[in-house]
Amino acid sequence: MTELAYVPKTFDMFHVGDKSELDFLFTRENVKEFAEVTKDFNPLHQDDEFAAKTMFKECIAEGFFTASAAAALASPFFGIGTVNLGTTFWCTAPVRFNDTVKFVLEVTELFEEKHNISYTITGTRQDGVVVLKLDGQVKIMDKKK
């Protein structure tokens, strides 16, 4: 994963159509670490024998982990002190161990009065399959309102 810098940003630095991207590698180890933190011990995410009997045929990453990995792009993109106002996401295909997902964030709407920004993130596996569609809105905390 590429390290992204956190810097202060102001609302006027953003424009509709602005984009950023990040590649994220999902491994057995980081899926296990996410499960330990969230207490999501669904065997579909760690038990090869269990997963082999499912429609996926092998272990997959948690959908919330996929969305959280996308947040690794959003947080530094919007800058220090930004507040997440809401997020909706859809997991459209499984993410397996050793999949690399390219997350692409795009600014879709700016709300000048409150310094809010709407955005989308699309996550695409290395084979071109879209695995995540996310809509979100943040507040840029550069004014006292």
Side-chain angles (χ1 to χ4, degrees):
M1 184 176 106
T2 305
E3 292 294 322
L4 300 172
Y6 284 82
V7 297
K9 295 187 180 177
T10 59
F11 181 80
D12 62 355
M13 296 172 73
F14 297 96
H15 304 90
V16 171
D18 285 352
K19 289 185 179 183
S20 186
E21 61 183 53
L22 171 72
D23 291 334
F24 190 94
L25 174 64
F26 289 82
T27 65
R28 181 180 291 275
E29 293 75 27
N30 62 23
V31 170
K32 181 179 180 186
E33 289 170 359
F34 185 83
E36 289 171 354
V37 168
T38 61
K39 307 299 184 214
D40 180 356
F41 298 114
N42 181 337
L44 181 58
H45 308 307
Q46 293 295 323
D47 184 330
D48 293 321
E49 282 185 42
F50 177 88
K53 297 173 188 167
T54 70
M55 63 186 271
F56 301 108
K57 305 298 183 206
E58 60 187 302
C59 292
I60 63 170
E62 298 90 334
F64 275 104
F65 185 28
T66 305
S68 295
L73 172 61
S75 295
F77 177 79
F78 290 114
I80 294 171
T82 299
V83 176
N84 179 25
L85 299 175
T87 305
T88 302
F89 67 91
W90 301 264
C91 297
T92 55
V95 174
R96 295 178 170 86
F97 300 152
N98 300 313
D99 276 345
T100 297
V101 175
K102 178 179 292 299
F103 295 107
V104 178
L105 180 152
E106 182 173 2
V107 173
T108 57
E109 194 169 358
L110 301 171
F111 302 92
E112 174 73 34
E113 183 179 324
K114 294 194 175 198
H115 284 203
N116 295 351
I117 299 175
S118 290
Y119 66 96
T120 62
I121 297 178
T122 301
T124 306
R125 282 191 320 228
Q126 68 279 352
D127 61 0
V129 173
V130 173
V131 297
L132 180 78
K133 294 181 179 182
L134 182 149
D135 294 325
Q137 190 171 102
V138 296
K139 175 179 272 314
I140 305 299
M141 301 297 290
D142 62 345
K143 70 178 198 174
K144 296 175 183 175
K145 193 172 192 183

